[in-house]
Amino acid sequence: MSGVTDTRQRPESDGWRLFRGDGQVRQVVMPEPPPWRRFGHDDMEQPGAAPTDPHRPYLIDQPQIDVVNAALHLRRPLLVTGHPGTGKSSLAYAIAHEMALGKVLRWPVNSRSTLAEALYQYDAVGRLRETSLSRDQGAQPPDIGQFIRLGPLGTALVPGGHPRVLLIDELDKGDVDLPNDLLTVFEEGEFEIPELSRLPLGQDQALVHTVHGADPQLVVGGLVRCREFPVVVITSNGEREFPPAFLRRCLRLDLPDPDERRLRAIVAAHLGPDAVSRVDDLIRLFLARRAPGELATDQLLNAAHLRLGGVDLDAKGLLEAVLHQLGGAV
């Protein structure tokens, strides 16, 4: 190709540099991504998430395992706290993987999140438009269920033969009233879809969509009631306190920062047992620089992945960019 440099045969000295910053156009070959940054694959993982390979388990100590089991027996939500990178969100994936409970239903909470959107969404405008088009064409109007999609919490409450795993991620980022809004649903294990419950008797059945676009679910009388209470994992970064009434209905699990033994096990689980000796200095540097809440485990995994891929972490500013502190102003 004219004017394009082929860098697929790169010098060993700087072969890891895909971008040179010199304005020269090149054909490059992207290296393999970290296992936790692969998209479009069923086996996509997060650092610390439950891997598809049973020989690479989620790492957790017995006291924490016992709390998880207590929540499972009691059918109570599990409120998981800890610093970033301790594996809070990944615990939901580990439970779903080990108990064969299917794909995790994830609700990432932000300041605009509401209980209503987590339960279901109704496209009234779309229904009105499609109904008008059908009448103009002399056809039957579409069923109302085509315009209702259950959210992650609503899908988790669909009755089934086994519970679903619901991850409510970073609840402390939501509105102050959101935890209290969840209480009624958690206690009753059901919710109502008024758009369906208002339909005449005998016409109040509808097939509605679910969050993952799986098979439509039949809803009768507008009521969605679980048969098995979902496995609910709620994560919090400890940014604010929750109401006592909410805390009373949850089991609390605080995940500690991993010590040196655990860090080595995490590196081995994600990057292979041979990786530990090759990144021993990075592990020791990480431990020396880590203060509570200042560095996350996935930052160490990022640095280790770069090292194992031949990246020169001694290059000016590179290690600082990877192991940057999480607290304070940017």
Side-chain angles (χ1 to χ4, degrees):
M1 182 181 297
S2 177
V4 178
T5 303
D6 189 343
T7 61
R8 280 173 286 191
Q9 299 296 327
R10 294 184 294 264
E12 290 296 327
S13 60
D14 64 350
W16 66 273
R17 290 186 172 94
L18 305 175
F19 169 73
R20 305 292 182 89
D22 57 8
Q24 182 70 38
V25 180
R26 299 176 176 88
Q27 292 286 348
V28 299
V29 178
M30 291 295 292
E32 284 293 317
W36 52 89
R37 293 297 293 172
R38 293 172 182 164
F39 300 94
H41 301 279
D42 291 337
D43 60 348
M44 187 183 75
E45 301 171 13
Q46 304 175 28
T52 55
D53 183 350
H55 298 292
R56 295 165 55 194
Y58 178 84
L59 302 176
I60 186 172
D61 290 330
Q62 193 61 50
Q64 288 81 44
I65 293 173
D66 291 342
V67 175
V68 172
N69 280 286
L72 294 173
H73 279 274
L74 296 172
R75 271 64 168 184
R76 288 291 186 182
L78 189 65
L79 178 60
V80 186
T81 58
H83 293 129
T86 52
K88 300 185 297 296
S89 301
S90 303
L91 178 58
Y93 294 88
I95 294 171
H97 169 75
E98 188 171 321
M99 297 179 62
L101 295 179
K103 191 172 183 179
V104 173
L105 302 166
R106 181 172 176 262
W107 178 24
V109 176
N110 58 50
S111 59
R112 298 177 300 278
S113 297
T114 64
L115 175 63
E117 72 176 27
L119 292 174
Y120 76 98
Q121 294 181 341
Y122 171 54
D123 184 5
V125 175
R127 185 189 181 201
L128 178 62
R129 181 179 62 250
E130 293 298 323
T131 300
S132 298
L133 287 174
S134 297
R135 286 173 179 169
D136 292 342
Q137 298 170 0
Q140 282 290 106
D143 187 80
I144 186 175
Q146 297 182 29
F147 305 95
I148 295 176
R149 180 176 296 277
L150 301 181
L153 177 54
T155 301
L157 293 173
V158 169
H162 58 77
R164 298 295 300 272
V165 177
L166 172 66
L167 170 61
I168 303 179
D169 216 3
E170 299 189 333
L171 181 61
D172 46 357
K173 293 187 180 300
D175 184 82
V176 65
D177 292 325
L178 186 56
N180 282 329
D181 293 341
L182 287 166
L183 289 181
T184 300
V185 177
F186 283 163
E187 286 300 290
E188 299 181 359
E190 65 180 35
F191 70 97
E192 183 184 58
I193 302 177
E195 290 81 4
L196 297 180
S197 61
R198 289 195 293 260
L199 295 176
L201 188 65
Q203 303 177 25
D204 57 351
Q205 299 187 17
L207 289 171
V208 303
H209 300 284
T210 59
V211 70
H212 284 152
D215 294 336
Q217 297 293 324
L218 179 66
V219 177
V220 180
L223 185 66
V224 178
R225 175 185 293 151
C226 69
R227 186 175 301 130
E228 283 283 347
F229 188 75
V231 178
V232 181
V233 177
I234 305 170
T235 71
S236 167
N237 289 324
E239 296 180 2
R240 75 154 191 260
E241 292 294 324
F242 293 118
F246 175 79
L247 293 175
R248 180 169 62 85
R249 289 166 171 84
C250 299
L251 267 70
R252 180 78 173 266
L253 173 62
D254 186 60
L255 294 179
D257 293 327
D259 56 16
E260 182 175 355
R261 175 187 62 84
R262 175 58 53 80
L263 285 174
R264 293 179 182 277
I266 290 173
V267 170
H270 285 88
L271 300 172
D274 295 338
V276 178
S277 61
R278 297 172 60 187
V279 298
D280 182 73
D281 60 321
L282 292 178
I283 296 174
R284 287 185 280 106
L285 176 63
F286 179 85
L287 288 167
R289 297 179 58 174
R290 184 181 69 180
E294 291 295 327
L295 288 175
T297 305
D298 55 348
Q299 291 176 279
L300 172 61
L301 289 172
N302 289 337
H305 176 78
L306 291 176
R307 166 71 63 76
L308 297 173
V311 174
D312 179 15
L313 286 175
D314 294 328
K316 184 177 180 180
L318 182 56
L319 188 59
E320 293 294 329
V322 178
L323 296 182
H324 62 87
Q325 292 187 339
L326 303 180
V330 177

